[in-house]
Amino acid sequence: MSDSSPVPETRVLAVASHVVSGYVGNKIAVFSMQSLGCDVAALNTVQFSNHTGYRQWTGSRVSAQEITELYQGLKQSYLDDFDMMLSGYVPGAPALEAVGQIAQELKRKAKPKPGSFFWVLDPVMGDNGKLYVAPDVVPVYKSLVHHADLVLPNQFEAELLSDVEITDMPSIARAIQVMHERYGIPHIIITSVSLPHPDHPVSSLSVVGSSMTSDRRARAFKIVFPAIDCYFCGTGDMFAALMVVRMREAVHNDSGEGLLTNRESWLSDDSVDALDLPLARAAEKVLASMHEVLTKTAETMERTVKKAAAELAAGADGAGPEAEEKKLHLLKSKAAELRLVRHLDSLRFPKVEFRATKL
Amino acid sequence: MSDSSPVPETRVLAVASHVVSGYVGNKIAVFSMQSLGCDVAALNTVQFSNHTGYRQWTGSRVSAQEITELYQGLKQSYLDDFDMMLSGYVPGAPALEAVGQIAQELKRKAKPKPGSFFWVLDPVMGDNGKLYVAPDVVPVYKSLVHHADLVLPNQFEAELLSDVEITDMPSIARAIQVMHERYGIPHIIITSVSLPHPDHPVSSLSVVGSSMTSDRRARAFKIVFPAIDCYFCGTGDMFAALMVVRMREAVHNDSGEGLLTNRESWLSDDSVDALDLPLARAAEKVLASMHEVLTKTAETMERTVKKAAAELAAGADGAGPEAEEKKLHLLKSKAAELRLVRHLDSLRFPKVEFRATKL
């Protein structure tokens, strides 16, 4: 492998939003995958000035028709030779259907060569009990997930897909089992799980993952890691992008004789234990990178926000408390942008601290 | 400096085209600057499936109004705090005027703090004697260049800006002198200069650069490097992006006491010789990175194209010679895409081989 890329040549189609400033959607996903050696085709579903967490933005969406045309443009020039696809935020049901069509076409094309195409689907619908897409997007995701190889819902999205209310570790295990059974999703990771458990420190989060067996039984693991008391945007997108690379790496490393990479959906033998899954290895590395980048972002953020708040308080420009609060929110949002580009080594050489354990 | 970023915290506004697949415009510029530690705001002027060298593509342009609105979106959220700006391909005169307005506004805003904003302008108009933008774009560039800090024309674009026909080294020196005098452009680099010279090997190219003195006299140098017999797209965009980073680095390294960075357009004292200019140091590093990446791209390309040609010849699918020629052109275009992501170390740690010499 050239330079220090952890993966063999990998061509990825990444479909997600683009922001001019800041790090969410394709803006963080594309850089994350590129800096680990992937050749990324970036199909942007929107171009916004900044992410919507700022509460104000400009820019426009790309229509379903345009998404389809861009893909046709790739196809007519033999540029649709993708090894993997990552799909993130897509605005509205028609656009999501267009993206689903692309993924299905790539899956069909890869049929004669099992394992030659792998779709990572991040079903972006909402968070913390709140839907932030139009309600008609939910059934589209439900109709698409059975084509995906790896699905990355957060806790709320896992509830939407499984119709299981998640309140504790046993119910999350049920939700995973339902998603394997109902949709046949080979690999699942539920991100940012915040559930009480006697073994977990108070301020911790976990991800819960599973790769199914040939009869769709879950092989579930969890990885517990310290929560950082700060709301960052783009973490889900970064997680998904790094999972693309690290899953490819783990499967490639696993299959000394190239067996797993030639297998439909890269599914391990039924004899492989949950803790020995490539999915677990991949998630451990991804969380290590994430934790380093988030820690460094939080450090700088605290300094920046303190300074901004002091300046605002001292300024007293007579703009009124409402305007001042708005300005502080905007400055905080900027300070919370993931500081990835200054910490490339955290992406490339993560030090794994948090290990997968049995659920 | 965090990790191994060669520059202090640097926030860049990059305005250029976006292609889904491949590496031209912002697609290569943004990654180049990010992987060297810059926080890049990427304002995409088009979203095309692939670059136009393939002779077919899909996608759409972003209007002048949308460009202005995206910038307004940044401004209203305090996201217009740029240290540098890089502008590349902009489709059409109205859109270019909109980009020019943004640059002028950022220049005005930075006026009270000399050296706090630096605009690198790549005046994309044509190449090899042929205009590939609408003719009304040329006067817009002529009206804008005097606001830029560093302008990066190729040989043909330098002729358009200076009205000097460039046929040999003396005429290129005249063109540079005219650009300094007429427009007051502080720094100029003319890229991919292909001129006969008794001292140069037959298959070599050069860049010719100059930073003006306080009375607008040129301080010119050249860097000669071996040409690679292959037509690549995106080299100009990669060159410009790396110049942004390396110029910032060179000026930062130069000013032990922070003097140069606080000076309008980062212009060195009149006593500084052409060969000691930060511009020369920067260009040397940029060419080292470029030469490594192009060499590696050419190696892989040769293998890929040979294989594709053999397959096409063996295939004989009865599509006819015209269809086969078209397919070969498309496969060649893909194989010629710059292989940057697999050679990150060539960007980060270039080994300088080609040094600046007097013109």
Side-chain angles (χ1 to χ4, degrees):
Chain A
M1 269 159 249
S2 178
D3 272 13
S4 49
S5 310
V7 285
E9 297 271 341
T10 304
R11 198 162 147 75
V12 185
L13 175 61
V15 186
S17 53
H18 172 76
V19 287
V20 175
S21 183
Y23 297 94
V24 305
N26 258 355
K27 186 76 180 297
I28 194 160
V30 172
F31 178 68
S32 299
M33 294 187 284
Q34 284 177 327
S35 62
L36 292 169
C38 295
D39 176 20
V40 183
L43 201 165
N44 296 334
T45 55
V46 312
Q47 175 165 227
F48 285 171
S49 55
N50 48 268
H51 70 68
T52 57
Y54 286 80
R55 296 179 205 150
Q56 56 179 15
W57 66 91
T58 58
S60 60
R61 290 162 208 277
V62 173
S63 71
Q65 194 193 331
E66 232 175 311
I67 290 171
T68 303
E69 281 169 6
L70 283 168
Y71 178 69
Q72 295 301 333
L74 298 177
K75 229 173 102 173
Q76 70 178 358
S77 294
Y78 308 96
L79 296 168
D80 59 339
D81 55 338
F82 297 109
D83 303 296
M84 301 184 75
M85 174 168 164
L86 169 63
S87 55
Y89 173 68
V90 181
L96 180 59
E97 272 163 8
V99 174
Q101 288 299 325
I102 295 172
Q104 287 173 66
E105 184 169 330
L106 289 168
K107 289 289 281 187
R108 269 197 305 278
K109 194 162 69 95
K111 206 94 200 166
K113 279 182 71 182
S116 64
F117 177 72
F118 192 97
W119 180 21
V120 177
L121 169 61
D122 188 2
V124 181
M125 294 185 282
D127 205 357
N128 299 314
K130 255 177 65 184
L131 212 60
Y132 45 59
V133 294
D136 62 347
V137 165
V138 181
V140 182
Y141 272 118
K142 287 192 173 182
S143 75
L144 284 177
V145 284
H146 69 278
H147 297 290
D149 299 289
L150 165 58
V151 177
L152 303 166
N154 58 31
Q155 194 174 316
F156 174 61
E157 291 156 348
E159 290 185 325
L160 289 173
L161 291 176
S162 67
D163 301 308
V164 171
E165 197 193 342
I166 299 174
T167 52
D168 51 16
M169 283 293 166
S171 57
I172 210 166
R174 269 203 311 283
I176 283 183
Q177 186 57 49
V178 167
M179 286 189 278
H180 282 318
E181 270 177 33
R182 185 185 294 171
Y183 306 106
I185 304 173
H187 308 275
I188 298 164
I189 290 193
I190 305 182
T191 57
S192 54
V193 174
S194 170
L195 291 173
H197 188 282
D199 296 352
H200 301 176
V202 179
S203 65
S204 67
L205 287 173
S206 26
V207 302
V208 178
S210 168
S211 299
M212 70 178 188
T213 60
S214 56
D215 55 353
R216 298 193 174 184
R217 274 179 300 108
R219 283 177 282 193
F221 61 87
K222 68 179 178 192
I223 308 176
V224 182
F225 55 95
I228 294 172
D229 184 24
C230 190
Y231 187 73
F232 299 109
C233 286
T235 51
D237 308 312
M238 181 177 163
F239 184 89
L242 293 178
M243 276 305 298
V244 165
V245 184
R246 297 302 180 184
M247 186 66 184
R248 170 101 163 162
E249 175 193 38
V251 167
H252 193 84
N253 287 346
D254 185 89
S255 56
E257 285 140 73
L259 286 175
L260 199 48
T261 54
N262 297 334
R263 208 179 276 182
E264 187 71 37
S265 295
W266 303 343
L267 268 173
S268 303
D269 275 339
D270 288 355
S271 62
V272 175
D273 186 72
L275 301 188
D276 297 326
L277 292 169
L279 189 70
R281 284 304 78 67
E284 285 170 347
K285 279 205 182 176
V286 170
L287 285 174
S289 288
M290 301 279 310
H291 189 68
E292 287 181 37
V293 170
L294 294 186
T295 304
K296 286 164 183 169
T297 303
E299 282 165 13
T300 321
M301 185 187 170
E302 209 190 318
R303 282 200 303 276
T304 312
V305 170
K306 260 192 196 148
K307 207 178 135 221
E311 278 172 13
L312 266 179
D317 54 1
E322 213 172 294
E324 269 182 29
E325 198 187 296
K326 181 182 168 188
K327 183 167 183 180
L328 193 61
H329 169 72
L330 294 170
L331 295 176
K332 267 186 191 168
S333 301
K334 177 165 185 273
E337 295 281 6
L338 298 178
R339 290 178 60 78
L340 194 54
V341 295
R342 303 295 291 183
H343 302 291
L344 206 50
D345 286 348
S346 297
L347 279 197
R348 301 177 85 199
F349 314 110
K351 287 167 276 305
V352 173
E353 280 180 78
F354 318 111
R355 298 276 176 192
T357 56
K358 279 272 164 99
L359 194 59
Chain B
M1 269 158 245
S2 178
D3 272 13
S4 49
S5 311
V7 285
E9 297 271 341
T10 303
R11 198 162 147 75
V12 185
L13 175 61
V15 185
S17 53
H18 172 74
V19 287
V20 175
S21 183
Y23 297 93
V24 305
N26 258 356
K27 186 78 179 298
I28 194 160
V30 173
F31 178 68
S32 299
M33 294 187 284
Q34 284 178 326
S35 61
L36 292 169
C38 295
D39 176 19
V40 183
L43 201 165
N44 296 334
T45 55
V46 312
Q47 175 165 226
F48 286 170
S49 55
N50 48 269
H51 70 68
T52 57
Y54 286 80
R55 297 180 204 148
Q56 56 179 15
W57 66 92
T58 58
S60 60
R61 292 163 207 274
V62 173
S63 70
Q65 194 193 332
E66 233 175 309
I67 291 172
T68 303
E69 280 168 9
L70 283 168
Y71 178 70
Q72 295 301 332
L74 298 178
K75 226 172 105 173
Q76 71 178 356
S77 294
Y78 308 97
L79 296 168
D80 59 339
D81 55 338
F82 297 109
D83 303 297
M84 300 184 76
M85 173 168 166
L86 170 62
S87 54
Y89 173 68
V90 181
L96 180 59
E97 271 162 8
V99 174
Q101 287 300 324
I102 295 171
Q104 287 173 67
E105 184 169 330
L106 289 168
K107 288 290 279 189
R108 266 198 306 277
K109 193 163 68 95
K111 206 95 201 165
K113 279 183 71 183
S116 65
F117 177 72
F118 191 97
W119 180 20
V120 178
L121 169 62
D122 188 2
V124 182
M125 294 186 281
D127 205 357
N128 299 314
K130 255 176 66 184
L131 213 59
Y132 46 59
V133 293
D136 62 347
V137 165
V138 180
V140 181
Y141 272 119
K142 287 192 173 182
S143 75
L144 285 178
V145 284
H146 71 278
H147 297 290
D149 298 289
L150 166 59
V151 177
L152 303 167
N154 59 31
Q155 194 174 315
F156 174 61
E157 291 156 348
E159 290 185 325
L160 288 173
L161 291 176
S162 67
D163 301 308
V164 172
E165 197 191 343
I166 299 175
T167 52
D168 51 16
M169 284 292 165
S171 56
I172 212 166
R174 269 203 311 281
I176 283 183
Q177 187 56 49
V178 167
M179 286 188 279
H180 282 318
E181 270 177 31
R182 185 186 295 171
Y183 306 105
I185 304 173
H187 308 275
I188 299 164
I189 290 193
I190 304 181
T191 59
S192 54
V193 173
S194 170
L195 290 174
H197 188 283
D199 296 353
H200 301 175
V202 179
S203 64
S204 67
L205 287 172
S206 26
V207 302
V208 178
S210 168
S211 299
M212 71 178 187
T213 59
S214 55
D215 55 353
R216 299 193 174 183
R217 273 179 300 109
R219 282 177 283 192
F221 60 87
K222 68 179 177 192
I223 308 176
V224 182
F225 54 95
I228 294 173
D229 184 24
C230 192
Y231 187 72
F232 300 110
C233 287
T235 51
D237 307 313
M238 181 177 163
F239 184 90
L242 293 179
M243 277 306 298
V244 165
V245 184
R246 297 302 181 185
M247 186 66 184
R248 171 102 162 160
E249 176 193 38
V251 166
H252 193 83
N253 287 346
D254 184 271
S255 56
E257 287 140 72
L259 286 175
L260 199 48
T261 53
N262 297 335
R263 206 179 276 181
E264 186 71 38
S265 295
W266 303 344
L267 267 174
S268 304
D269 275 339
D270 288 356
S271 62
V272 175
D273 186 72
L275 300 188
D276 297 325
L277 292 168
L279 189 71
R281 285 301 81 67
E284 285 170 347
K285 280 205 182 177
V286 170
L287 285 174
S289 288
M290 302 279 310
H291 189 69
E292 285 181 38
V293 170
L294 294 186
T295 303
K296 286 162 183 170
T297 304
E299 281 165 14
T300 322
M301 184 187 171
E302 208 189 320
R303 284 199 302 277
T304 312
V305 171
K306 260 189 194 151
K307 205 176 137 223
E311 278 172 14
L312 265 179
D317 54 2
E322 214 172 296
E324 270 183 26
E325 198 187 296
K326 182 182 167 188
K327 184 167 183 180
L328 193 61
H329 169 72
L330 294 169
L331 295 176
K332 268 186 191 167
S333 301
K334 177 165 184 276
E337 295 281 4
L338 297 178
R339 290 177 60 79
L340 194 53
V341 295
R342 303 295 290 184
H343 302 291
L344 205 49
D345 287 347
S346 296
L347 279 197
R348 299 178 86 200
F349 314 110
K351 287 166 276 305
V352 173
E353 280 181 79
F354 318 112
R355 298 277 176 192
T357 55
K358 280 274 166 97
L359 194 61

